[in-house]
Amino acid sequence: MRLLADLHTHTVASGHAYSTLTENALAAAASGLELIAITDHGPTVPQGSHPWYFWNLKAAPSVLNGVRVLKGCEANLSEDDQTENGIDLPDEVLERLDFVAVGFHPTTGFDQRDRARNTAALLRAMANPLVDMVTHPGNDHEFPLDLDAIVAAAVKHQVILELNDHSFAPDSSRSGSAKREREFASAAREAGAPVAIGSDAHYALHVGRFGDAIAAAEEIGFAEGDLVNRDAASVLAFLLAKRERSLIDAGGTWSWDIAR
Ligand SMILES: [Zn+2]
Ligand SMILES: [Zn+2]
């Protein structure tokens, strides 16, 4: 299985990642990817990006050295009543983005391992038509979720459930979650929910690194064509079927040879 799009990559704007948007895109081009989404952490994660960072992503290229660059986020769920939409970026910011992922992270208000509360917060976010993907849903030892309810909501609202490659890495903070991550993907496949594999790269050379997640997906029975991130065309078709992406071409098409 070969996948040509990576919907989960971080840059220095996340505070604990070590490459730029440009480096990620050039690394993607070098390894033959057609599309990446830049999904920096929302503001509730320590050193996560300010809403202005997301608001101004139109300044970055939409296509760099032939790679489509989706300007996205990995937003966080919000504690009760702290924000209008239950997410740490307001809808006015989310609707400008090409791609909106949400996920649970430590120190953002959900460290109590409360399955019912986590599930309710995520179901609320998934019902928001601006939300496109849930990241690493199988992180059961930190942020337990009701699998059946989340999978059903993914089908209903056409929200991608990520099969996160980094969750399989022995050095990952989520290394205990590989089994549950697999269970989510398997249940999603059975129910017909959209699934994508993401690298969760925090350094450019990890962009498009999917080996462990691909092995798991193949074991479960996925074929290349079953995954949203098969290639740029499959990603764009999925996203544009959900809603218009008004700024998707705003950054223009560029080549990084600087002579222009
Ligand atoms: Zn991170
Ligand atoms: Zn994450």
Side-chain angles (χ1 to χ4, degrees), residues 109-175:
F110 292 90
D111 291 329
Q112 304 85 349
R113 298 195 174 85
D114 184 337
R115 190 177 302 274
R117 178 168 174 258
N118 294 347
T119 302
L122 188 54
L123 289 176
R124 182 181 172 203
M126 292 173 80
N128 183 333
L130 300 173
V131 170
D132 300 310
M133 183 168 91
V134 174
T135 56
H136 40 71
N139 192 6
D140 205 58
H141 64 294
E142 285 186 298
F143 305 105
L145 291 166
D146 177 336
L147 180 145
D148 291 335
I150 298 302
V151 169
V155 175
K156 181 175 177 196
H157 303 296
Q158 284 297 291
V159 173
I160 299 166
L161 294 177
E162 181 190 36
L163 179 57
N164 182 287
D165 188 77
H166 190 57
S167 296
F168 293 85
D171 65 339
S172 168
S173 59
R174 297 185 303 274
S175 59

Side-chain angles (χ1 to χ4, degrees), residues 234-247:
S234 61
V235 170
L236 294 173
F238 177 85
L239 295 179
L240 294 170
K242 282 198 71 161
R243 68 176 172 97
E244 212 182 302
R245 313 278 156 164
S246 60
L247 296 178

Side-chain angles (χ1 to χ4, degrees), residues 4-21:
L4 301 181
D6 190 346
L7 293 176
H8 193 167
T9 75
H10 293 273
T11 78
V12 285
S14 280
H16 59 264
Y18 306 95
S19 299
T20 64
L21 178 152

Side-chain angles (χ1 to χ4, degrees), residues 8 10 16 39 41 74-76 102-105 135-136 162 164 174 200 202:
H8 193 167
H10 293 273
H16 59 264
T39 51
H41 287 290
E74 186 183 16
N76 300 286
V102 297
F104 288 98
H105 299 95
T135 56
H136 40 71
E162 181 190 36
N164 182 287
R174 297 185 303 274
D200 202 356
H202 284 63

Side-chain angles (χ1 to χ4, degrees), residues 206-228:
H206 299 162
V207 172
R209 190 173 70 173
F210 300 138
D212 292 331
I214 283 181
E218 286 175 341
E219 258 177 56
I220 292 166
F222 281 99
E224 214 165 71
D226 301 332
L227 295 159
V228 176

